[in-house]
Amino acid sequence: MSIKVEHISKSFGTFKALDDVSLTIPTNKLVALLGPSGSGKTTLLRIIAGLELPDNRDSAIYFDEEDVVDRKVTDRQVGFVFQHYALFRHMTVFENIAFGLKVQPKKVRPSMEEIKTRVDELLGLIQLEGLAGRYPNQLSGGQRQRVALARALAVEPKVLLLDEPFGALDAKVRLELRRWLRKLHEEINVTSVFVTHDQEEALEVADYVVVMSNGKIEQMGTPEDVFHRPETEFVMNFIGQVNQFHGRVERGRGVFGKLVVEDDEIAGAENASARMFVRPHEIKVTSRSSGNHEVPVTVLHVHKAGPRVRLELQDDENRTLQVDMSHDDFLMTELGKNDKAYVSVQNSRIFISEEV
Amino acid sequence: MNSLLTVGKNILPAKRSSVIPGFGLTMGFTLFYMSMLVLIPLGGLVLFTTSMGWEAFWQSITDPRVLSSLRLSFGASFIAAILNAFFGLIVAWVLVRYTFPFKKVIDALVDLPFALPTAVSGIALVTIYSQNGIVGRYVELLGFQIAFTWIGIVIALTLIGLPFVVRTVQPALEDLEKELEEVAASLGATRWQTFKRVIFPAIQPSLLTGFAMALARAIGEYGSVIFIAGNMPYKTEIAPLLIVIKLEQFDYTGATAIAVVMLIAAFLILLFINLIQWWNRRYSDEN
Amino acid sequence: MTGTVTLQAKNKNRSIVQTESTTESPLVRWLLIGTALVFLLLFLILPLLIVFREAFSGGINLFFQALTDPDALAAIRLTLFTAAIVVPVNLVFGVCAAWAISKFKFKGKSLLITLIDLPFAVSPVIAGLIFILIFGSRGWLGPWFLSHGIQIIFATPGIVIATLFVTFPFVARELIPLMQAQGTEEEQAARVLGASGWQTFSRVTLPNIKWGLIYGLILCNARAMGEFGAVSVVSGHIRGYTNTMPLHVEILYNEYNFTAAFAIASLLAVLALVTLVIKSVAEVKITGDQIQTKL
């Protein structure tokens, strides 16, 4: 089932949570809504679920071809998973998972045996076979979230919506669980949307990432797209580490202090202020000058505790640069703290301001 | 006074490292005052009861007049507590969930029975519900009577127990995570199913606690009941009134026997409340 | 004009068709609100209104005549006198108990808290009975006191003691949870900075618990002035001597002097309303304080 939302706006008092948002989520994909807090991602998810209503009348939410905007959450057949699990604490794991089946109208409600079979199946899926009789407070955080997921899946929802599903877990469980979700999604094949503020999580798990800020969608694309081909400054800034330079475009060249860059993107541009973004791994550092477009810098700090070496550099215009490289490459440079070095930009993104 | 301070220190040693002063003084005074005013007098009552002997005790409480007064007190209190559980739940729900005019004033007024002297509510109720009262005269048309019957007693006991259920259920409803109801709705549950299966089990311990507190209060209530009850022996004479009557006749044994039965009931209810709290803790994250 | 109105109604249509996921239909909502209001009207508001209506049913002159009657004045004096003793004593106890319980660790703390609540579980009539057994003319200590010329039962001391008993827990039970929630960090900081014990209490603790204290005091006072059952048992109902206001209400009512009974009752009702107002203010302040503590 695909999801299509059109022209959704939502305000809470004077705060504009969503500002005319339209979005299409393809069938059976796992999509991440990524953004800082207050960007409107949770509100969008809740509106898709039917837990919240859009403000405007011209809005529409299509599940496949069907407009469900007037349909109550009860009838939308969505599975919803909350950050803090929202498990029914007075029910066992079994009863929690069976809840959605037991509240169905008598005509369509499965028999007790069918319910039991279905719940056992789901317990197998979430790998908690032996724990059917436990109460939520006897489970770990990761186990609770898996139960919440099984509970949502029990009613065979058309779409699965997850609001910061790993937000309440510690780092290690979080890592484990998001890989497990990826695998689970491949097994069950339900169109799924999850909200997160953790870019690593979004990039690793999702088929598509929707980056949001200030109630608007900045970019939607594959994880590769948003990481390597950010369309807006916000995305560039928000995803991954980045060095930012303020400067100008002059006759097709970017001039950022002593740093001068030539780029196809700005070839046609004349005289405008501009900002350049360079990822730490896209800066080359050498101990000896080897040609054009290089800037002399001083090594302020070297952080070697990690999979890659991170350098903090300062140029003569007092700008601080973050660079990272492999340990091998770093050894080749023969650099140390307080050494002089030269940097050149290998790859960059330049955004030209509209005003001159 | 000095020995008093050391008493506190010796019996209940505070944490040695505490830099906060005054444990001996405050604990000493607390224990002294509580013993003099509450513990020793109550202990005296227990002593008096044991000294009267089983025979005398049994004879006192199996007296038909005593039995019927106890039956009336417990029965009417139970009905009043049930009424309070039902309507108190609705009042608490409405106060927490909805907005309507004068909500804050009404919320504050719920505590009125705590603040209004029982004698005042007693004479007010009888004025309203007696045959020519503003409510009583219409009830009269329906063919029954409230004042001077057991129904009047139930009404008085409902009034004085009214705040308990509301005030215990209110915070439980406020603490209820909204997500639980949203999850239930997303799983296809109707509002009524959500209430029955999700909300009610969550607030049930508070409701039971409020019910028990209203019940305990009603059993011992005197002031608001005696005006509306009519106080006919065997019919509308409540147990606390019978204690007073027996005291006026200097029948200390008889009065104490009734008091002991009522005290035992009160302590059983206290125990019940503690059990609810303990039982409810098995779902909480702390254990 | 009509056109706009219908258009607006249509615009709003959607939000009426689809209610929020966690609330009820307007019909259910108003049915519940209606039930609650009728219940409260019959059990709370009507009794309150009737007190004032009856009090003034004989006109304002009769009302003041009832209040200035010598027996009424004596009852008012006795009630004020009793409260003036009971409230401060239970205040001191409440603060001491709350201080010991909330600022220190010791064994048997929860037992102590339960014991403090004990008088709430005891019927007021039984409270009166207990003191009759002790101080009555046929009680254990009564004859000894009487032989020394001290009458406790059927006299003011009995009334004060019975009232002390029934209002015993009020201040303590408001302060204990409040002070437990506030912890001991501020007091420790004050001590480290060199404050004496009394300075620590009066400058650090007291401002933090001020509204909780007022809350407990006002409830204690309301009960002290309004107590009926316990006082009724020990008072002896001697007009002009051992009649408190609630007892005077009873006597007047039983003598079919309804207007006078309700006149006195209306004073007590005003006291109750004032209590509720102060209580509401204190509640708002306490919640505010707690939010501040959390931040």
Side-chain angles (χ1 to χ4, degrees), chain C residues 60-84:
Chain C
I60 196 103
N61 284 338
L62 218 56
F63 174 78
F64 281 111
Q65 213 178 314
L67 294 188
T68 49
D69 174 78
D71 288 344
L73 286 176
I76 294 172
R77 260 197 305 275
L78 180 58
T79 293
L80 292 177
F81 175 78
T82 306

Side-chain angles (χ1 to χ4, degrees), chain C residues 176-200:
Chain C
I176 291 168
L178 188 65
M179 284 167 72
Q180 276 181 327
Q182 281 168 350
T184 56
E185 278 176 26
E186 288 183 41
E187 283 79 8
Q188 285 178 358
R191 289 293 278 172
V192 171
L193 292 169
S196 71
W198 175 249
Q199 283 172 326
T200 304

